[in-house]
Amino acid sequence: MSDNRGPERTLADGVRFPTTVRWLLAKVLGAVFVLWAVATLIFFGIRLIPGDPAEAILGGPGSQASPEALEQVRRDYGLDQPLLVQYFTQMGRLVQGDLGDSYSLRMPVAELLGNQLPGTLLLSALALLVAWLLSLALAGWSTLNGKAAAVVASGLEIAAAAVPHFWLASILILLFSNTLGWLPPVSTNSADGLVLPVLALALPLAGFLGQVMRESMLNAMTSPFALSARARGEGETGVLFRHALRHAALPGIALSGWAFGSLLSGAVVVESIFARPGLGRTLLNAVTLRDIPLVTGVALVSALSYVVVMAASDVAERAADPRLRAA
């Protein structure tokens, strides 16, 4: 006689957990592992950069700090301890939620991140939205207009996906700021100051997403449900938007977590070029100054944002695809 447990699974010790709880536990454990790995890589990686952290704390190479002052800073910050002792001390602080104070800015890292994070998240979220809209529009246009449109769309997508962020940002500034004078070359708090940074991040991503979704859309337009819709008298546009679009968007939803991570990394370049405050510029300055607590804090926040968006894209994919919910 079969044991019908519905959506539950049995562990080896006999304790049963609903599938949703098991999924959440897996996501939480995965997030903890990612954060530990990032903190560990940053801790050891930044120490490979030439220079003395104690000198960075006292203002960098130009500070001309005395040997006595450097030695005092090493004792105060525990930099005179063995490397493994410093590592476990750092991990203990992070477990308690203590990100420490920035060496270069003399402020709590948590406060700095709280000031810089909203701007980067806004820039990345807008870029992801624009990339989705552009890729869907291009994929839909090429699907409805035959092979010639598909060739043109494919060429545009490949070109956009291959463009580096720094080169595209420079071209956008040259065209829309210096030549046409339509938009400011430096990012401001106004809406027009966001246009160029968002486009610099969104266009390469739109090229990549467009390639994936156009292929999925073409497959959906030849599937049995599309043929059935045509047999009922529905036109190509109706088949596309009422039936095929939902299926074509699934690969894009699955890739949205990765896409958001790529936007966070691209923000380092774009925020520097457009002089926009955010995690990108903060990370670049922190690495240059060997500001270990600030580098660690930015990396952990970026990794946590990536994990959260990956989980959200997983939920959205399950909501859009009944087959995944049934599985």
Side-chain angles (χ1 to χ4, degrees):
M1 183 175 178
S2 63
D3 182 12
N4 185 14
R5 301 180 189 275
E8 295 185 341
R9 301 290 185 268
T10 303
L11 300 181
D13 58 0
V15 179
R16 295 183 299 173
F17 289 95
T19 303
T20 303
V21 175
R22 288 168 58 86
W23 181 82
L24 288 173
L25 286 174
K27 290 297 180 183
V28 171
L29 292 176
V32 171
F33 174 78
V34 168
L35 294 177
W36 167 79
V38 168
T40 300
L41 290 174
I42 290 297
F43 179 86
F44 290 105
I46 200 170
R47 282 161 173 78
L48 298 176
I49 301 175
D52 186 354
E55 193 174 63
I57 294 172
L58 292 175
S63 63
Q64 298 181 347
S66 65
E68 294 78 11
L70 292 172
E71 188 62 32
Q72 182 63 46
V73 166
R74 293 189 186 100
R75 286 195 298 268
D76 292 343
Y77 285 85
L79 299 175
D80 57 341
Q81 299 293 322
L83 191 60
L84 284 179
V85 174
Q86 296 182 45
Y87 170 73
F88 286 113
T89 301
Q90 174 79 354
M91 292 299 107
R93 290 173 181 165
L94 292 178
V95 168
Q96 298 173 17
D98 181 10
L99 297 176
D101 294 334
S102 167
Y103 293 165
S104 57
L105 299 176
R106 302 294 194 275
M107 291 178 60
V109 171
E111 182 180 343
L112 287 169
L113 296 179
N115 294 334
Q116 303 298 328
L117 180 61
T120 298
L121 289 181
L122 175 62
L123 178 63
S124 300
L126 288 175
L128 184 60
L129 175 62
V130 171
W132 259 90
L133 294 176
L134 291 175
S135 59
L136 284 175
L138 189 58
W141 172 79
S142 62
T143 301
L144 293 175
N145 289 278
K147 292 184 178 180
V151 171
V152 173
S154 179
L156 292 174
E157 290 160 357
I158 293 173
V163 173
H165 289 114
F166 71 89
W167 186 86
L168 180 58
S170 301
I171 294 299
L172 291 175
I173 291 174
L174 179 64
L175 177 61
F176 292 103
S177 297
N178 297 345
T179 303
L180 299 176
W182 292 352
L183 296 167
V186 177
S187 182
T188 61
N189 292 326
S190 60
D192 59 350
L194 272 171
V195 174
L196 294 184
V198 167
L199 287 177
L201 281 176
L203 289 177
L205 180 59
F208 183 82
L209 289 177
Q211 289 177 306
V212 175
M213 284 192 279
R214 183 169 50 83
E215 185 68 25
S216 180
M217 195 173 289
L218 288 171
N219 292 334
M221 291 294 285
T222 59
S223 59
F225 65 81
L227 297 176
S228 299
R230 292 189 186 96
R232 295 193 299 269
E234 196 156 3
E236 290 297 306
T237 304
V239 173
L240 175 65
F241 288 102
R242 295 181 184 177
H243 303 283
L245 185 58
R246 178 177 179 180
H247 294 267
L250 289 176
I253 294 174
L255 289 171
S256 291
W258 166 86
F260 191 81
S262 71
L263 291 175
L264 288 177
S265 62
V268 175
V269 176
V270 171
E271 288 177 349
S272 299
I273 292 176
F274 289 98
R276 177 178 173 80
L279 290 183
R281 291 186 67 196
T282 301
L283 178 60
L284 185 63
N285 294 333
V287 171
T288 303
L289 298 172
R290 290 179 58 88
D291 194 332
I292 298 172
L294 187 53
V295 172
T296 304
V298 173
L300 288 176
V301 168
S302 300
L304 183 60
S305 301
Y306 174 76
V307 169
V308 170
V309 173
M310 283 290 290
S313 66
D314 194 1
V315 172
E317 189 179 7
R318 289 169 181 267
D321 192 346
R323 296 170 297 180
L324 292 177
R325 294 198 301 270

